[in-house]
Short mmCIF file of all heavy atoms in Angstrom, two decimals:
data_model
loop_
_atom_site.label_atom_id
_atom_site.label_comp_id
_atom_site.label_asym_id
_atom_site.label_seq_id
_atom_site.Cartn_x
_atom_site.Cartn_y
_atom_site.Cartn_z
N GLU B 144 -159.90 33.07 67.13
CA GLU B 144 -160.20 33.70 68.41
C GLU B 144 -159.67 32.85 69.54
O GLU B 144 -159.90 31.65 69.58
CB GLU B 144 -161.72 33.85 68.58
CG GLU B 144 -162.31 34.87 67.67
CD GLU B 144 -163.41 35.65 68.36
OE1 GLU B 144 -163.72 35.34 69.54
OE2 GLU B 144 -163.94 36.57 67.73
N LEU B 145 -158.98 33.48 70.44
CA LEU B 145 -158.49 32.68 71.55
C LEU B 145 -159.48 32.69 72.70
O LEU B 145 -160.37 33.53 72.78
CB LEU B 145 -157.10 33.08 72.00
CG LEU B 145 -156.57 34.48 71.92
CD1 LEU B 145 -156.88 35.20 73.21
CD2 LEU B 145 -155.06 34.42 71.75
N LYS B 147 -160.95 33.31 76.11
CA LYS B 147 -160.73 34.38 77.07
C LYS B 147 -160.20 33.78 78.36
O LYS B 147 -160.78 32.87 78.93
CB LYS B 147 -162.04 35.12 77.31
CG LYS B 147 -162.63 35.55 75.99
CD LYS B 147 -163.61 36.67 76.08
CE LYS B 147 -163.97 37.09 74.66
NZ LYS B 147 -164.91 38.18 74.60
N GLY B 148 -159.07 34.29 78.76
CA GLY B 148 -158.44 33.79 79.97
C GLY B 148 -157.11 33.13 79.69
O GLY B 148 -156.34 32.87 80.60
N THR B 149 -156.83 32.85 78.41
CA THR B 149 -155.58 32.16 78.10
C THR B 149 -154.46 33.12 77.70
O THR B 149 -153.29 32.75 77.74
CB THR B 149 -155.77 31.18 76.92
OG1 THR B 149 -156.27 31.90 75.80
CG2 THR B 149 -156.74 30.09 77.29
N LEU B 150 -154.83 34.34 77.32
CA LEU B 150 -153.83 35.24 76.77
C LEU B 150 -152.72 35.56 77.76
O LEU B 150 -151.53 35.54 77.39
CB LEU B 150 -154.51 36.52 76.28
CG LEU B 150 -153.60 37.57 75.66
CD1 LEU B 150 -152.78 37.00 74.54
CD2 LEU B 150 -154.42 38.76 75.18
N GLN B 183 -154.04 40.26 68.08
CA GLN B 183 -154.33 41.63 67.68
C GLN B 183 -153.68 42.62 68.65
O GLN B 183 -153.58 42.35 69.84
CB GLN B 183 -155.84 41.86 67.66
CG GLN B 183 -156.60 40.92 66.75
CD GLN B 183 -156.09 40.93 65.32
OE1 GLN B 183 -155.95 42.00 64.72
NE2 GLN B 183 -155.80 39.76 64.78
N GLY B 185 -154.89 45.33 69.69
CA GLY B 185 -155.90 45.77 70.66
C GLY B 185 -156.10 44.78 71.79
O GLY B 185 -156.75 45.10 72.79
N SER B 186 -155.59 43.58 71.62
CA SER B 186 -155.58 42.60 72.71
C SER B 186 -154.22 42.62 73.41
O SER B 186 -154.15 42.52 74.64
CB SER B 186 -155.83 41.19 72.16
OG SER B 186 -156.93 41.15 71.30
N ARG B 193 -151.78 45.23 81.72
CA ARG B 193 -152.42 44.52 82.82
C ARG B 193 -151.39 43.68 83.59
O ARG B 193 -151.33 43.73 84.82
CB ARG B 193 -153.50 43.63 82.22
CG ARG B 193 -154.39 42.91 83.16
CD ARG B 193 -155.61 42.36 82.42
NE ARG B 193 -155.28 41.29 81.46
CZ ARG B 193 -155.75 41.23 80.22
NH1 ARG B 193 -156.53 42.19 79.74
NH2 ARG B 193 -155.43 40.22 79.44
N ARG B 197 -149.96 44.22 87.48
CA ARG B 197 -150.07 43.19 88.51
C ARG B 197 -148.71 42.71 89.01
O ARG B 197 -148.64 41.84 89.87
CB ARG B 197 -150.87 42.00 87.96
CG ARG B 197 -152.32 42.37 87.71
CD ARG B 197 -153.12 41.24 87.13
NE ARG B 197 -154.49 41.71 86.84
CZ ARG B 197 -155.37 41.03 86.13
NH1 ARG B 197 -155.04 39.85 85.64
NH2 ARG B 197 -156.56 41.52 85.91
N ARG B 211 -134.98 50.36 66.48
CA ARG B 211 -136.09 51.18 66.99
C ARG B 211 -136.21 51.05 68.50
O ARG B 211 -135.65 50.15 69.11
CB ARG B 211 -137.41 50.73 66.37
CG ARG B 211 -137.65 51.26 64.99
CD ARG B 211 -139.05 50.91 64.58
NE ARG B 211 -139.16 50.90 63.13
CZ ARG B 211 -138.67 49.95 62.37
NH1 ARG B 211 -138.06 48.92 62.91
NH2 ARG B 211 -138.81 50.02 61.07
P DA C 901 -162.69 43.43 87.39
OP1 DA C 901 -161.75 43.22 88.50
OP2 DA C 901 -162.86 44.77 86.79
"O5'" DA C 901 -162.33 42.41 86.23
"C5'" DA C 901 -162.61 41.03 86.42
"C4'" DA C 901 -162.42 40.30 85.11
"O4'" DA C 901 -163.57 40.52 84.26
"C3'" DA C 901 -161.19 40.74 84.33
"O3'" DA C 901 -160.45 39.58 83.98
"C2'" DA C 901 -161.75 41.50 83.13
"C1'" DA C 901 -163.15 40.91 82.97
N9 DA C 901 -164.16 41.83 82.45
C8 DA C 901 -164.42 43.10 82.89
N7 DA C 901 -165.41 43.69 82.25
C5 DA C 901 -165.83 42.74 81.33
C6 DA C 901 -166.84 42.74 80.35
N6 DA C 901 -167.65 43.78 80.13
N1 DA C 901 -166.98 41.62 79.61
C2 DA C 901 -166.18 40.58 79.83
N3 DA C 901 -165.19 40.46 80.72
C4 DA C 901 -165.07 41.58 81.45
P DT C 902 -159.02 39.70 83.34
OP1 DT C 902 -158.25 38.51 83.75
OP2 DT C 902 -158.49 41.07 83.56
"O5'" DT C 902 -159.36 39.55 81.80
"C5'" DT C 902 -160.19 38.48 81.39
"C4'" DT C 902 -160.48 38.61 79.92
"O4'" DT C 902 -161.60 39.51 79.71
"C3'" DT C 902 -159.32 39.18 79.11
"O3'" DT C 902 -159.16 38.36 77.98
"C2'" DT C 902 -159.80 40.57 78.73
"C1'" DT C 902 -161.30 40.31 78.60
N1 DT C 902 -162.17 41.52 78.64
C2 DT C 902 -163.27 41.57 77.81
O2 DT C 902 -163.56 40.66 77.04
N3 DT C 902 -164.01 42.72 77.90
C4 DT C 902 -163.78 43.80 78.72
O4 DT C 902 -164.52 44.77 78.70
C5 DT C 902 -162.61 43.68 79.57
C7 DT C 902 -162.25 44.79 80.50
C6 DT C 902 -161.88 42.56 79.49
P DG C 903 -157.72 38.05 77.33
OP1 DG C 903 -157.34 36.72 77.77
OP2 DG C 903 -156.83 39.21 77.56
"O5'" DG C 903 -158.06 38.01 75.78
"C5'" DG C 903 -159.10 37.17 75.33
"C4'" DG C 903 -159.86 37.85 74.21
"O4'" DG C 903 -160.59 38.97 74.72
"C3'" DG C 903 -158.97 38.38 73.08
"O3'" DG C 903 -159.36 37.75 71.86
"C2'" DG C 903 -159.22 39.89 73.08
"C1'" DG C 903 -160.56 40.02 73.79
N9 DG C 903 -160.70 41.26 74.52
C8 DG C 903 -159.88 41.74 75.51
N7 DG C 903 -160.26 42.90 75.99
C5 DG C 903 -161.40 43.21 75.26
C6 DG C 903 -162.25 44.34 75.32
O6 DG C 903 -162.15 45.32 76.07
N1 DG C 903 -163.29 44.26 74.41
C2 DG C 903 -163.49 43.21 73.54
N2 DG C 903 -164.54 43.30 72.72
N3 DG C 903 -162.71 42.14 73.47
C4 DG C 903 -161.69 42.21 74.35
P DC C 904 -158.62 38.15 70.48
OP1 DC C 904 -158.68 36.98 69.60
OP2 DC C 904 -157.33 38.78 70.80
"O5'" DC C 904 -159.59 39.27 69.91
"C5'" DC C 904 -160.98 38.96 69.75
"C4'" DC C 904 -161.69 40.12 69.09
"O4'" DC C 904 -161.85 41.19 70.06
"C3'" DC C 904 -160.93 40.70 67.90
"O3'" DC C 904 -161.78 40.70 66.76
"C2'" DC C 904 -160.55 42.11 68.34
"C1'" DC C 904 -161.54 42.42 69.45
N1 DC C 904 -160.98 43.31 70.53
C2 DC C 904 -161.67 44.47 70.88
O2 DC C 904 -162.72 44.75 70.28
N3 DC C 904 -161.17 45.26 71.87
C4 DC C 904 -160.04 44.92 72.49
N4 DC C 904 -159.59 45.72 73.45
C5 DC C 904 -159.33 43.74 72.14
C6 DC C 904 -159.83 42.96 71.16
P DG C 905 -161.16 41.07 65.32
OP1 DG C 905 -161.72 40.10 64.36
OP2 DG C 905 -159.69 41.23 65.43
"O5'" DG C 905 -161.79 42.51 65.04
"C5'" DG C 905 -163.17 42.73 65.32
"C4'" DG C 905 -163.50 44.19 65.10
"O4'" DG C 905 -163.08 44.97 66.25
"C3'" DG C 905 -162.82 44.81 63.89
"O3'" DG C 905 -163.75 45.67 63.23
"C2'" DG C 905 -161.64 45.58 64.48
"C1'" DG C 905 -162.18 45.99 65.85
N9 DG C 905 -161.16 46.09 66.90
C8 DG C 905 -160.13 45.21 67.13
N7 DG C 905 -159.38 45.54 68.15
C5 DG C 905 -159.95 46.71 68.63
C6 DG C 905 -159.58 47.53 69.72
O6 DG C 905 -158.64 47.39 70.51
N1 DG C 905 -160.43 48.63 69.85
C2 DG C 905 -161.51 48.90 69.03
N2 DG C 905 -162.20 49.99 69.30
N3 DG C 905 -161.86 48.13 68.00
C4 DG C 905 -161.05 47.06 67.86
P DA C 906 -163.29 46.36 61.81
OP1 DA C 906 -164.50 46.41 60.97
OP2 DA C 906 -162.06 45.70 61.30
"O5'" DA C 906 -162.92 47.84 62.27
"C5'" DA C 906 -163.79 48.52 63.17
"C4'" DA C 906 -163.16 49.83 63.58
"O4'" DA C 906 -162.27 49.62 64.70
"C3'" DA C 906 -162.33 50.50 62.48
"O3'" DA C 906 -162.73 51.85 62.33
"C2'" DA C 906 -160.90 50.38 62.99
"C1'" DA C 906 -161.10 50.36 64.50
N9 DA C 906 -160.00 49.70 65.22
C8 DA C 906 -159.36 48.53 64.89
N7 DA C 906 -158.41 48.19 65.73
C5 DA C 906 -158.42 49.20 66.69
C6 DA C 906 -157.66 49.43 67.84
N6 DA C 906 -156.69 48.61 68.25
N1 DA C 906 -157.93 50.54 68.57
C2 DA C 906 -158.90 51.35 68.16
N3 DA C 906 -159.69 51.25 67.08
C4 DA C 906 -159.40 50.15 66.38
P DG C 907 -162.21 52.74 61.09
OP1 DG C 907 -163.29 53.66 60.72
OP2 DG C 907 -161.60 51.84 60.09
"O5'" DG C 907 -161.04 53.60 61.76
"C5'" DG C 907 -161.43 54.61 62.67
"C4'" DG C 907 -160.32 54.91 63.63
"O4'" DG C 907 -159.82 53.70 64.22
"C3'" DG C 907 -159.06 55.53 63.02
"O3'" DG C 907 -159.18 56.94 62.90
"C2'" DG C 907 -158.00 55.19 64.06
"C1'" DG C 907 -158.60 54.04 64.84
N9 DG C 907 -157.71 52.88 64.86
C8 DG C 907 -157.65 51.83 63.98
N7 DG C 907 -156.75 50.94 64.28
C5 DG C 907 -156.17 51.45 65.45
C6 DG C 907 -155.13 50.94 66.25
O6 DG C 907 -154.49 49.89 66.09
N1 DG C 907 -154.85 51.77 67.33
C2 DG C 907 -155.50 52.94 67.60
N2 DG C 907 -155.10 53.62 68.69
N3 DG C 907 -156.48 53.43 66.87
C4 DG C 907 -156.76 52.63 65.81
P DG C 908 -158.04 57.76 62.08
OP1 DG C 908 -158.60 59.08 61.79
OP2 DG C 908 -157.56 56.89 60.98
"O5'" DG C 908 -156.82 57.92 63.10
"C5'" DG C 908 -157.05 58.48 64.38
"C4'" DG C 908 -155.80 58.33 65.23
"O4'" DG C 908 -155.63 56.93 65.55
"C3'" DG C 908 -154.50 58.71 64.53
"O3'" DG C 908 -154.14 60.06 64.82
"C2'" DG C 908 -153.47 57.78 65.13
"C1'" DG C 908 -154.27 56.74 65.87
N9 DG C 908 -153.85 55.39 65.48
C8 DG C 908 -154.38 54.59 64.50
N7 DG C 908 -153.78 53.43 64.39
C5 DG C 908 -152.78 53.47 65.36
C6 DG C 908 -151.80 52.51 65.73
O6 DG C 908 -151.61 51.40 65.24
N1 DG C 908 -150.98 52.97 66.75
C2 DG C 908 -151.10 54.20 67.35
N2 DG C 908 -150.22 54.47 68.32
N3 DG C 908 -152.02 55.10 67.03
C4 DG C 908 -152.82 54.67 66.03
P DA C 910 -146.73 62.03 65.58
OP1 DA C 910 -146.24 63.11 66.47
OP2 DA C 910 -147.22 62.33 64.22
"O5'" DA C 910 -145.56 60.95 65.42
"C5'" DA C 910 -145.01 60.33 66.57
"C4'" DA C 910 -144.07 59.23 66.13
"O4'" DA C 910 -144.84 58.11 65.66
"C3'" DA C 910 -143.13 59.61 64.99
"O3'" DA C 910 -141.81 59.66 65.49
"C2'" DA C 910 -143.31 58.52 63.95
"C1'" DA C 910 -144.05 57.43 64.70
N9 DA C 910 -144.94 56.62 63.86
C8 DA C 910 -146.06 57.02 63.20
N7 DA C 910 -146.66 56.06 62.53
C5 DA C 910 -145.87 54.95 62.78
C6 DA C 910 -145.95 53.60 62.36
N6 DA C 910 -146.92 53.13 61.57
N1 DA C 910 -145.00 52.76 62.78
C2 DA C 910 -144.03 53.22 63.58
N3 DA C 910 -143.84 54.46 64.04
C4 DA C 910 -144.81 55.28 63.60
P DT C 911 -140.61 60.23 64.54
OP1 DT C 911 -139.70 61.01 65.39
OP2 DT C 911 -141.18 60.78 63.29
"O5'" DT C 911 -139.88 58.86 64.17
"C5'" DT C 911 -139.46 57.98 65.21
"C4'" DT C 911 -138.99 56.67 64.60
"O4'" DT C 911 -140.12 56.01 63.97
"C3'" DT C 911 -137.93 56.84 63.51
"O3'" DT C 911 -136.88 55.93 63.76
"C2'" DT C 911 -138.67 56.49 62.22
"C1'" DT C 911 -139.71 55.49 62.72
N1 DT C 911 -140.91 55.31 61.87
C2 DT C 911 -141.22 54.04 61.44
O2 DT C 911 -140.57 53.06 61.72
N3 DT C 911 -142.35 53.96 60.65
C4 DT C 911 -143.18 54.99 60.27
O4 DT C 911 -144.16 54.79 59.57
C5 DT C 911 -142.79 56.30 60.76
C7 DT C 911 -143.61 57.49 60.38
C6 DT C 911 -141.69 56.40 61.53
P DA C 912 -135.43 56.18 63.09
OP1 DA C 912 -134.39 56.03 64.14
OP2 DA C 912 -135.47 57.40 62.24
"O5'" DA C 912 -135.33 54.92 62.11
"C5'" DA C 912 -135.33 53.60 62.68
"C4'" DA C 912 -135.52 52.59 61.57
"O4'" DA C 912 -136.84 52.74 61.01
"C3'" DA C 912 -134.54 52.74 60.40
"O3'" DA C 912 -133.89 51.49 60.21
"C2'" DA C 912 -135.39 53.14 59.21
"C1'" DA C 912 -136.77 52.64 59.60
N9 DA C 912 -137.90 53.43 59.07
C8 DA C 912 -138.13 54.76 59.23
N7 DA C 912 -139.23 55.19 58.66
C5 DA C 912 -139.77 54.05 58.08
C6 DA C 912 -140.94 53.83 57.32
N6 DA C 912 -141.81 54.78 57.01
N1 DA C 912 -141.17 52.57 56.90
C2 DA C 912 -140.30 51.61 57.21
N3 DA C 912 -139.17 51.70 57.92
C4 DA C 912 -138.96 52.95 58.33
P DT C 913 -132.68 51.33 59.13
OP1 DT C 913 -131.71 50.36 59.67
OP2 DT C 913 -132.24 52.68 58.69
"O5'" DT C 913 -133.44 50.64 57.93
"C5'" DT C 913 -134.25 49.48 58.20
"C4'" DT C 913 -135.08 49.14 56.97
"O4'" DT C 913 -136.11 50.12 56.77
"C3'" DT C 913 -134.29 49.08 55.66
"O3'" DT C 913 -134.46 47.79 55.10
"C2'" DT C 913 -134.89 50.19 54.81
"C1'" DT C 913 -136.30 50.31 55.39
N1 DT C 913 -136.98 51.61 55.20
C2 DT C 913 -138.19 51.63 54.55
O2 DT C 913 -138.73 50.64 54.11
N3 DT C 913 -138.77 52.88 54.43
C4 DT C 913 -138.27 54.08 54.91
O4 DT C 913 -138.88 55.13 54.75
C5 DT C 913 -137.00 53.98 55.58
C7 DT C 913 -136.36 55.23 56.12
C6 DT C 913 -136.42 52.78 55.70
#
Side-chain angles (χ1 to χ4, degrees):
Chain B
E144 290 218 357
L145 31 91
K147 308 201 173 180
T149 57
L150 181 54
Q183 302 305 309
S186 311
R193 186 165 67 226
R197 292 178 184 168
R211 280 188 203 74

